[in-house]
Amino acid sequence: MGNQEEKKSTNHICVGLLAHVDGGKTTFSEQLLYHAGVIRSAGRVDQGNTVMDGDAVERARGITIYADQSCFEYGGDEYYFLDTPGHVDFAAETERVVAALDYAILLVDASSGVAAHTVTLFRMLKRFQVPVFFFLNKIDLNTADLERTMEEIKQRLTEDIILVEAPLDGEIPEELTEFAAGRDEDIMEDYLEGRPIERDRILASLKKIIKERNGFLCMKGSALKDQGVAEFFQVFHQLTETGYGEEEPFSGLVYKVRHDPDGQRIVYIKVLSGKLEGRDPVCVLEEKADKEDGEQVARTGEKVHQIRIYSGQQSRIIDKALAGSLCAVTGLSLPKCQDMVVRAGLNDTEIYQAFKTRPRLQMRPALQARVASENTDSHTLFNQLKFLEDEEPGLAVNVGEDKSLTVSVMGKIQLEVLDQVLRERFGTEVTFSPPKVLYRETIAAPVMGFGHYEPLRHYAEVHLRLEPAPRGTGITFASECHVDTLGINYQNLIKTHVFEKVHKGVLTGSPLTDIKMILTAGRSHLKHTEGGDFREATYRAIRQGLEKAESVLLEPWYQFEITAPEEYIGKIMADIQKRSGIFDPPRLNGAVMPVSGSGPAASFMDYGIELAAATRGTGSISMVWGGYRECHNTEAVIAECDYDKGADKENTSSSVFCSHGAGFVVNWNEVEQYIHLPKEEID
């Protein structure tokens, strides 16, 4: 790639390429790999011969679905390069990869400007604090407008950006020195005093500014015409560096799980510290929902077999992977996406230090669809879907009480791809029901729940206080019960039973969330308490509390950005209000007017089709997960679900007491008259 300026030490740098659909990512990747000497000629998406989109489904659809990667050396550094999906339905895959990046290259189409999804991607990179370089692509087209695109970036993404016209091989351009001076006090002082500033000092300052996300560099070109790609990466190389601790104990982040053609499980790891060698024993750190903040456990260790480096579909075996590198290992059955793996034998302090670096993901499926097959039995189909869930955790394959199978997805395109993947990999033909929204339930105010289980020769009583918790916290547990009242072994058992199943709400039977369950009291019997008694009492206490509580139905919301010509904005704002959404005041940005807002997934999941039709293809919408909020049409959803809480025998709210040697059932509204421990009241 032209003049490769040497650095003082070798860096291992993980770089991700991001853009909206049709932004030119894969074409850019091919050109970059060609100039790096990885491939002999650059492939093309329209010809189906690209290295990075090597999966059969990707080739058939002409889009990136999976985050493929390659490795190459340049100027003494080792680069791990990842091409990410651009479609919003596969944003969860992109998010998992972003969590492992050192730097990102964000492509912007200079012919169409900053797309709505580009804004989403930039926000995602900001959330993970990933430094970004911009490449303005398709500059060769007649419709390209460099000045307008730069202005859009400043208005919609960041004002701290500067366009660089050429590699920094000679004297640093005056405008770039000014850019550094505006963000570095030491440089600023010399610059204002007119003192000469050494080239290396300016480059060092720019590296720091970019790494800390205080400034962003941009270059232009055409990936299809191979214009500007090599020059861009020269600048990228000059202004990037990492500093991983190779002498520290090994720790790594699992960012992807795949299976090779033989069905062997491949775990992809970003090595965060130390080094990983073949046959090394490792442990998996797993965050437990029943732990207090900051707690975690190390799961049983396993041994690494092979360590591989992948470039597209090809791989080679290496002896060890160093800090900062990406590798793929065989032999591990436990790690899931976003798990942390560490060297076996770390102490608690070392485990905590490794675990606190684990990134928090936000992307969640908002839809669920039933899946069935005419040529494959349910048991086989379930195993096939679980196999795919290992690679895409968001599928959340589930078996309903009627034995039906469901999968969770981000959008309808993901269902189409899943259909194709099942045919390609397993020869299974499936049909999906229209996707439905994934609702959740919580409570509005604290409430006590009491559960008692005492058929003949069994005994357990549990008192739980259920309290509403902040959105997104899920189910948590605490105990205020003294060990003199109930032994710690039984208290731990109750905690286990709180988390071992998905508890249903009483409105629609949807899963409970955002509730803190506090054990206030409990009782066992010296002779009669058997295994499973506290399970029954705990389940019944939760359900009895819900019967009395003010339950709240929650629905998933999308955050969106809509772009369309100004003449359509009035109708778009009316559409948003009609769908119970909210939006910020629109702002004119050249020929288009972006509208940012949020709204219920149920109302907006099909809006993209209507928007395209209403604007004759000139309008677009980008949507990402926006969390759960109170449902906008609770009564209608409850009526449609038609959930009969009394008929749900797996989630009963009644308790069982014993009298004259026989058990009898007490309805939830009378339980408090029979419980054996004193009844607690809510303050």
Side-chain angles (χ1 to χ4, degrees):
M1 294 188 200
N3 178 30
Q4 296 187 20
E5 183 174 312
E6 294 292 336
K7 297 186 179 180
K8 293 182 179 179
S9 61
T10 298
N11 288 292
H12 301 278
I13 303 176
C14 182
V15 184
L17 183 62
L18 295 89
H20 66 97
V21 175
D22 297 328
K25 293 188 319 304
T26 303
T27 305
F28 182 96
S29 300
E30 293 291 313
Q31 296 292 359
L32 182 59
L33 296 180
Y34 165 69
H35 287 290
V38 177
I39 55 179
R40 293 184 177 180
S41 61
R44 290 182 54 147
V45 175
D46 56 355
Q47 295 175 4
N49 60 351
T50 57
V51 172
M52 300 297 267
D53 286 347
D55 184 85
V57 178
E58 290 181 313
R59 292 185 185 277
R61 301 186 73 92
I63 62 172
T64 301
I65 298 171
Y66 308 108
D68 286 322
Q69 63 194 60
S70 188
C71 176
F72 59 87
E73 290 187 3
Y74 180 83
D77 286 343
E78 193 164 41
Y79 287 93
Y80 299 86
F81 188 73
L82 294 108
D83 184 17
T84 64
H87 197 285
V88 66
D89 278 22
F90 309 104
E93 172 91 349
T94 299
E95 185 184 38
R96 288 191 291 268
V97 168
V98 165
L101 297 182
D102 297 310
Y103 290 90
I105 300 170
L106 184 59
L107 265 61
V108 178
D109 187 341
S111 67
S112 59
V114 177
H117 191 54
T118 305
V119 178
T120 298
L121 292 172
F122 189 73
R123 289 172 180 168
M124 182 188 297
L125 292 164
K126 180 180 180 180
R127 179 157 47 87
F128 287 99
Q129 287 297 293
V130 177
V132 179
F133 286 76
F134 287 86
F135 184 80
L136 305 187
N137 196 21
K138 304 185 182 182
I139 200 70
D140 57 307
L141 298 181
N142 293 331
T143 52
D145 189 328
L146 180 62
E147 185 176 342
R148 183 201 67 201
T149 304
M150 286 297 296
E151 187 60 31
E152 283 189 30
I153 291 174
K154 290 178 180 179
Q155 289 187 7
R156 304 179 64 188
L157 303 180
T158 176
E159 293 184 351
D160 294 312
I161 189 167
I162 184 170
L163 182 66
V164 179
E165 295 287 351
L168 309 177
D169 297 330
E171 185 177 348
I172 302 297
E174 179 72 14
E175 62 270 18
L176 199 52
T177 302
E178 289 183 5
F179 185 79
R183 293 153 184 82
D184 185 323
E185 291 185 4
D186 292 336
I187 298 288
M188 172 66 81
E189 184 176 345
D190 286 343
Y191 182 76
L192 292 177
E193 294 294 330
R195 291 190 290 266
I197 308 171
E198 297 83 359
R199 176 177 180 276
D200 287 348
R201 190 174 160 213
I202 297 174
L203 290 178
S205 176
L206 289 171
K207 285 180 187 178
K208 185 173 184 292
I209 289 168
I210 292 168
K211 195 168 185 178
E212 295 177 353
R213 287 181 53 90
N214 291 325
F216 304 86
L217 261 64
C218 177
M219 293 186 73
K220 59 183 173 65
S222 168
L224 187 61
K225 299 290 183 63
D226 192 18
Q227 297 172 359
V229 176
E231 294 80 1
F232 170 84
F233 205 74
Q234 282 182 255
V235 174
F236 184 90
H237 171 71
Q238 290 171 310
L239 298 177
T240 53
E241 63 181 358
T242 56
Y244 287 95
E246 294 186 5
E247 303 304 318
E248 300 172 10
F250 164 74
S251 67
L253 171 71
V254 176
Y255 64 93
K256 185 167 67 170
V257 173
R258 292 289 181 266
H259 297 84
D260 66 16
D262 298 324
Q264 185 171 215
R265 193 172 192 259
I266 312 295
V267 177
Y268 291 75
I269 298 173
K270 167 69 177 289
V271 183
L272 299 173
S273 64
K275 63 182 178 180
L276 179 64
E277 298 185 82
R279 311 304 300 175
D280 271 359
V282 297
C283 286
V284 182
L285 301 188
E286 180 185 31
E287 186 174 34
K288 290 290 190 181
D290 60 342
K291 295 287 183 179
E292 298 297 328
D293 291 344
E295 280 194 83
Q296 65 284 323
V297 295
R299 282 199 277 181
T300 305
E302 298 181 290
K303 278 193 175 181
V304 170
H305 292 173
Q306 287 184 347
I307 304 178
R308 303 176 183 176
I309 296 291
Y310 272 87
S311 285
Q313 304 298 303
Q314 305 300 316
S315 67
R316 56 185 172 88
I317 299 173
I318 60 173
D319 295 328
K320 60 184 177 182
L322 301 177
S325 65
L326 300 182
C327 65
V329 304
T330 63
L332 302 183
S333 62
L334 292 176
K336 305 184 301 294
C337 285
Q338 297 310 121
D339 278 346
M340 294 288 295
V341 289
V342 298
R343 188 194 71 202
L346 292 187
N347 59 43
D348 289 344
T349 300
E350 291 171 322
I351 286 177
Y352 175 73
Q353 289 298 320
F355 194 81
K356 72 178 184 180
T357 63
R358 180 176 182 261
R360 305 295 176 181
L361 304 184
Q362 290 188 354
M363 297 295 175
R364 297 286 187 276
L367 308 176
Q368 187 179 70
R370 287 194 179 195
V371 54
S373 175
E374 292 185 359
N375 71 334
T376 303
D377 64 85
S378 296
H379 178 72
T380 302
L381 178 58
F382 174 78
N383 289 333
Q384 293 171 351
L385 290 170
K386 293 297 286 184
F387 184 89
L388 298 178
E389 183 189 303
D390 191 28
E391 300 180 356
E392 175 45 72
L395 285 178
V397 182
N398 186 49
V399 182
E401 294 177 3
D402 59 355
K403 306 303 179 184
S404 63
L405 298 176
T406 60
V407 292
S408 300
V409 292
M410 299 285 287
K412 293 183 177 180
I413 299 297
Q414 191 179 357
L415 280 182
E416 294 176 11
V417 169
L418 181 57
D419 174 42
Q420 196 169 349
V421 168
L422 285 165
R423 277 189 276 113
E424 293 280 350
R425 292 210 198 178
F426 309 110
T428 298
E429 301 282 346
V430 296
T431 57
F432 295 102
S433 67
K436 295 184 177 181
V437 169
L438 286 166
Y439 293 97
R440 295 287 185 268
E441 294 186 34
T442 188
I443 57 176
V447 66
M448 287 301 305
F450 306 99
H452 190 96
Y453 188 70
E454 192 187 0
L456 189 61
R457 298 188 180 87
H458 293 267
Y459 188 95
E461 183 165 299
V462 173
H463 295 195
L464 290 172
R465 186 171 73 249
L466 311 184
E467 296 182 350
R471 293 286 177 265
T473 55
I475 302 296
T476 55
F477 177 86
S479 176
E480 296 176 356
C481 179
H482 198 280
V483 292
D484 290 344
T485 303
L486 185 66
I488 192 65
N489 59 323
Y490 286 129
Q491 293 195 32
N492 288 333
L493 199 57
I494 292 169
K495 179 194 294 187
T496 298
H497 297 323
V498 165
F499 292 103
E500 69 187 358
K501 68 171 284 188
V502 176
H503 299 279
K504 290 185 177 182
V506 296
L507 298 178
T508 62
S510 298
L512 288 181
T513 191
D514 302 341
I515 295 178
K516 185 173 186 178
M517 302 190 182
I518 303 165
L519 177 66
T520 60
R523 175 175 286 183
S524 63
H525 192 281
L526 187 62
K527 294 182 179 180
H528 294 157
T529 298
E530 301 284 348
D533 290 357
F534 273 102
R535 172 181 287 110
E536 292 289 341
T538 301
Y539 290 0
R540 293 162 193 265
I542 294 171
R543 193 71 169 184
Q544 199 262 353
L546 292 176
E547 292 278 13
K548 301 180 294 180
E550 179 187 348
S551 292
V552 178
L553 187 65
L554 303 176
E555 65 179 346
W557 274 46
Y558 288 138
Q559 291 180 339
F560 59 74
E561 178 153 314
I562 300 171
T563 55
E566 185 178 2
E567 61 263 30
Y568 297 109
I569 296 303
K571 181 184 186 315
I572 289 171
M573 291 190 294
D575 287 346
I576 294 172
Q577 292 175 324
K578 183 174 67 176
R579 286 167 172 75
S580 301
I582 55 177
F583 58 89
D584 299 326
R587 59 196 184 282
L588 185 61
N589 186 17
V592 299
M593 184 172 280
V595 181
S596 299
S598 55
S603 304
F604 282 86
M605 61 179 172
D606 294 324
Y607 183 57
I609 299 172
E610 181 179 331
L611 176 66
T615 61
R616 300 182 180 180
T618 59
S620 64
I621 181 171
S622 174
M623 297 185 293
V624 295
W625 173 256
Y628 275 90
R629 305 188 192 183
E630 189 166 340
C631 186
H632 76 285
N633 59 338
T634 296
E635 292 184 3
V637 173
I638 292 174
E640 183 180 353
C641 288
D642 193 26
Y643 174 64
D644 186 352
K645 61 183 181 181
D648 189 350
K649 302 304 180 185
E650 297 295 320
N651 296 277
T652 181
S653 57
S654 60
S655 284
V656 180
F657 291 83
C658 187
S659 178
H660 305 294
F664 64 98
V665 176
V666 175
N667 199 36
W668 69 267
N669 56 346
E670 297 178 336
V671 165
E672 293 164 33
Q673 302 173 28
Y674 289 83
I675 55 176
H676 293 178
L677 289 167
K679 173 185 171 182
E680 300 92 335
E681 300 288 350
I682 300 292
D683 293 335

